[in-house]
């Protein structure tokens, strides 16, 4: 159980780090040279559970990276949408993508699909690094 929690926490921290770099890069594209970013600690369980689920799915299916990325992309959007609803109904959703056809209920942004696909495609090598890191202990 401890190893599972460690991996979940590593995925959660990695998610926050990726989010920080991504939002900073978006700010740069909007002219903010300070690369100002904002994140929320409530995102830790979102990213942690996403990483653990992807890990579990990969072990169960043994699919290659491309097949996993195609299968996981709608699951990732579903998870972001579900967490967004939970947050909206409890503490208030920390993100709002605006009211457009590509942002259902303002909870997910379908325009980010290429980025998410790339991250999911890159996930298996990152998972190996996490496993090696936890094996060093």
């Amino acid at each position: 159980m401890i190893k599972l929690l460690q991996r979940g926490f590593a995925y959660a921290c990695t998610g926050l780090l990726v989010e920080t770099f991504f939002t900073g890069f978006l700010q740069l594209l909007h002219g903010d040279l300070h690369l100002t970013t904002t994140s929320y600690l409530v995102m830790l369980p979102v990213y942690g559970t996403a990483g653990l689920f992807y890990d579990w799915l990969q072990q169960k299916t043994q699919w290659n990276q491309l097949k996993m990325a195609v299968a996981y992309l709608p699951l990732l959007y579903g998870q972001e949408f579900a967490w967004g609803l939970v947050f909206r109904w409890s503490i208030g959703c920390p993100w709002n993508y605006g009211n457009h056809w590509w942002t259902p209920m303002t909870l997910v942004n379908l325009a980010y699909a290429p980025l998410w696909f790339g991250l999911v495609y890159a996930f298996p090598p990152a998972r190996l690094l996490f496993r090696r890191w936890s094996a060093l202990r």
Side-chain angles (χ1 to χ4, degrees):
M1 183 65 165
I2 296 296
K3 291 274 188 192
L4 181 70
L5 291 174
Q6 286 175 334
R7 276 198 345 262
F9 186 68
Y11 293 142
C13 290
T14 302
L16 281 179
L17 184 64
V18 168
E19 178 184 346
T20 300
F21 278 99
F22 177 69
T23 55
F25 180 72
L26 285 180
Q27 289 302 106
L28 179 64
L29 294 179
H30 289 98
D32 178 1
L33 298 179
H34 292 109
L35 308 177
T36 306
T37 66
T38 302
S39 189
Y40 307 90
L41 292 179
V42 296
M43 295 305 292
L44 287 171
V46 176
Y47 295 131
T49 56
L52 289 173
F53 179 72
Y54 187 92
D55 209 9
W56 173 83
L57 190 61
Q58 174 64 32
Q59 289 174 7
K60 292 294 180 190
T61 62
Q62 297 298 307
W63 288 341
N64 65 34
Q65 283 177 264
L66 182 60
K67 211 181 253 189
M68 279 300 294
V70 169
Y72 196 67
L73 189 61
L75 297 172
L76 186 122
Y77 271 115
Q79 184 185 29
E80 182 182 20
F81 188 84
W83 275 105
L85 285 177
V86 167
F87 289 145
R88 183 177 286 171
W89 295 333
S90 57
I91 62 173
C93 188
W95 65 89
N96 181 333
Y97 290 118
N99 195 12
H100 309 285
W101 69 266
W102 62 88
T103 58
M105 294 177 62
T106 74
L107 297 175
V108 295
N109 190 336
L110 300 176
Y112 292 159
L115 171 77
W116 284 121
F117 185 84
L119 286 173
V120 171
Y121 188 80
F123 188 82
R127 192 183 80 201
L128 290 175
L129 289 175
F130 286 132
R131 291 204 180 278
R132 287 186 184 146
W133 171 74
S134 61
L136 294 175
R137 304 179 123 234

